[in-house]
Amino acid sequence: MDLSCTPEEEEFRARLREWLAKVLPGLPPKPSPDDWPGRRAYDLGWQRMLYDAGYAGLQWPADAGGRGATPTQHLIFLEETENAGAPYVGANFVGLLHAGPTIAAEGNAGQRARWLPPVLRGEEVWCQGFSEPDAGSDLAALRTRARRDGDDYVVNGSKIWTSHAEVADWCELLVRTDAKAPKHRGISWLAMPMDAPGITVRPLRTLAGSTEFAEVFLDDVRVPVANRVGEENDGWRVTMVTLSFERGTAFVGEVVACRRVLGELAREARKNGRWDDAVLRRRLGRLNAEFRALWRLTQWNVSESERSGGVPGVGGSVFKLRYSRARQDLYDAAADVLGPEALDLDSRWTLDRLSSLSYTIAAGTSQIQRNIVAERILGLPKGR
């Protein structure tokens, strides 16, 4: 892995900085966290600006509508946009970071032409319909069924923790298409239109007070067979592609954000006198080393995905496992630095701390990541 930047990549950085400095001051105010239609419009508007400027889908392959940028250019983009305070992907998270890349890797030409351009242009939002009340960590235990009826699947069941379902146009949906097959072999990956009859969305309020997740109930929902990505009953393999993107590259920008937050904490500690505490200084120093190491792992994972045809490998599980713990440690340290301010329910620090608790669950629990690392990287036998 070559970590140095070429003159062309440094030129790319300079152009990006110039563009960000020009457009960010003109952005409208961010909508209220509870205004999901407003947040959708804001996030899609930013995505359209990226598209018009040639920065949308930077890391996507050119034949999928992206820029086909180098891994280093992708990381430069994430560094510069985060450091400049540019909007996060927000409601575009699922479509841009794992549904879209999955379709780019596994979809046929018609599917790529139909679904990828609207994601890149900021016209459509996707949600994720994977987890169920009885199928979270053991995702292959899902029970939502899809019965073939001519050119459609008729889907019945329910999903939970469905990201951005309230404002989504499409859902990446896992269904069981063969109830008699072993549980990993009877699953299919469908693209479900969220305006189809029979879909009921019930928002879930999190500990932090937000509603970016929902329960989704499916009653005789008809999904065209043409919306299946991959072969029937081959959905588990396609799902592994999706989860590789979700664990391997989807959280990349957040490492940059955590490094920025850590710098804020160090400055605040110097200001309020907490920097005199040697134990706290060592704690912040360890976190600095942790996030620097995670950034190097990120660079390796992104480079590895390019060598493997664009799909991240199991190294994403190593990253996800360590990052989710480090993020929680960061906001624990924030409580020590900030004192009572860290308990203010209206403080962004409090909300971010509450949000950090979910990272050991999101995209596969830490226990699942340990199993993957043990079995697929270390070659240890499966547990019984």
Side-chain angles (χ1 to χ4, degrees):
M1 180 178 65
D2 183 3
L3 302 181
S4 61
C5 292
T6 66
E8 291 78 14
E9 288 164 343
E10 289 296 352
E11 182 183 353
F12 170 80
R13 185 192 299 273
R15 289 198 309 270
L16 176 59
R17 281 184 179 176
E18 182 181 357
W19 180 77
L20 290 169
K22 181 173 65 175
V23 301
L24 290 181
L27 289 181
K30 290 183 179 180
S32 163
D34 293 328
D35 180 9
W36 274 103
R39 290 178 65 176
R40 172 192 160 107
Y42 183 87
D43 294 339
L44 289 180
W46 173 244
Q47 181 61 28
R48 182 68 200 205
M49 292 177 68
L50 291 173
Y51 178 83
D52 289 341
Y55 293 117
L58 195 67
Q59 74 280 21
W60 287 21
D63 62 1
R67 286 276 299 272
T70 67
T72 303
Q73 285 177 320
H74 178 207
L75 296 177
I76 288 172
F77 173 81
L78 294 171
E79 280 186 300
E80 294 299 327
T81 52
E82 177 60 40
N83 289 334
Y88 183 55
V89 291
N92 294 314
F93 181 88
V94 175
L96 279 170
L97 301 184
H98 42 90
T102 299
I103 294 167
E106 297 290 333
N108 59 41
Q111 292 169 340
R112 289 154 66 101
R114 166 60 188 89
W115 289 315
L116 299 184
V119 170
L120 292 178
R121 292 194 298 257
E123 295 170 355
E124 292 181 345
V125 169
W126 284 67
C127 63
Q128 185 182 70
F130 281 18
S131 297
E132 299 181 4
D134 295 315
S137 297
D138 186 10
L139 182 58
L142 64 91
R143 298 179 181 178
T144 295
R145 299 232 177 145
R147 173 179 55 84
R148 182 77 176 260
D149 182 24
D151 292 332
D152 292 336
Y153 289 110
V154 180
V155 182
N156 284 278
S158 65
K159 297 291 178 177
I160 198 168
W161 307 120
T162 306
S163 309
H164 305 311
E166 290 177 85
V167 293
D169 304 289
W170 294 90
C171 177
E172 52 173 1
L173 183 73
L174 294 187
V175 295
R176 188 160 298 285
T177 41
D178 186 349
K180 297 180 180 179
K183 65 180 186 179
H184 290 87
R185 298 176 184 264
I187 293 172
S188 296
W189 197 109
L190 305 180
M192 180 180 70
M194 288 298 288
D195 60 356
I199 299 176
T200 301
V201 176
R202 183 183 299 165
L204 294 168
R205 190 164 294 279
T206 69
L207 184 66
S210 62
T211 57
E212 67 263 32
F213 303 111
E215 293 180 284
V216 177
F217 300 93
L218 309 167
D219 298 301
D220 289 334
V221 179
R222 301 188 77 89
V223 179
V225 173
N227 287 18
R228 187 189 67 232
V229 175
E231 297 299 319
E232 186 170 283
N233 299 325
D234 191 34
W236 188 251
R237 184 190 62 78
V238 179
T239 300
M240 292 302 99
V241 173
T242 304
L243 294 178
S244 293
F245 284 114
E246 188 173 7
R247 296 165 182 165
T249 55
F251 292 114
V252 169
E254 298 192 32
V255 176
V256 184
C258 286
R259 294 177 70 181
R260 176 181 51 77
V261 168
L262 184 60
E264 290 182 31
L265 288 177
R267 288 190 292 274
E268 180 61 28
R270 290 186 176 94
K271 186 189 304 182
N272 67 16
R274 293 288 290 134
W275 193 253
D276 296 335
D277 185 337
V279 173
L280 178 65
R281 289 201 308 272
R282 283 195 296 272
R283 187 176 187 184
L284 296 181
R286 182 187 60 77
L287 282 168
N288 182 51
E290 185 89 45
F291 285 112
R292 286 173 66 88
L294 280 168
W295 185 244
R296 292 307 190 204
L297 180 58
T298 291
Q299 292 173 308
W300 186 88
N301 283 338
V302 170
S303 297
E304 183 68 14
S305 71
E306 183 184 46
R307 287 192 292 270
S308 63
V311 178
V314 291
S317 289
V318 178
F319 169 83
K320 168 61 174 56
L321 178 63
R322 194 57 232 166
Y323 169 70
S324 57
R325 183 67 258 172
R327 186 181 176 96
Q328 291 190 15
D329 291 345
L330 172 65
Y331 284 98
D332 280 345
D336 280 352
V337 172
L338 299 171
E341 182 185 343
L343 300 176
D344 183 352
L345 293 180
D346 293 325
S347 166
R348 72 175 177 89
W349 295 101
T350 304
L351 297 178
D352 286 345
R353 174 66 182 101
L354 294 174
S355 175
S356 76
L357 299 174
S358 69
Y359 280 74
T360 50
I361 300 173
T365 65
S366 291
Q367 290 83 353
I368 292 295
Q369 305 312 315
R370 291 188 182 98
N371 286 345
I372 292 172
V373 171
E375 295 168 12
R376 301 186 194 175
I377 296 179
L378 302 179
L380 299 178
K382 290 181 179 290
R384 295 184 178 179

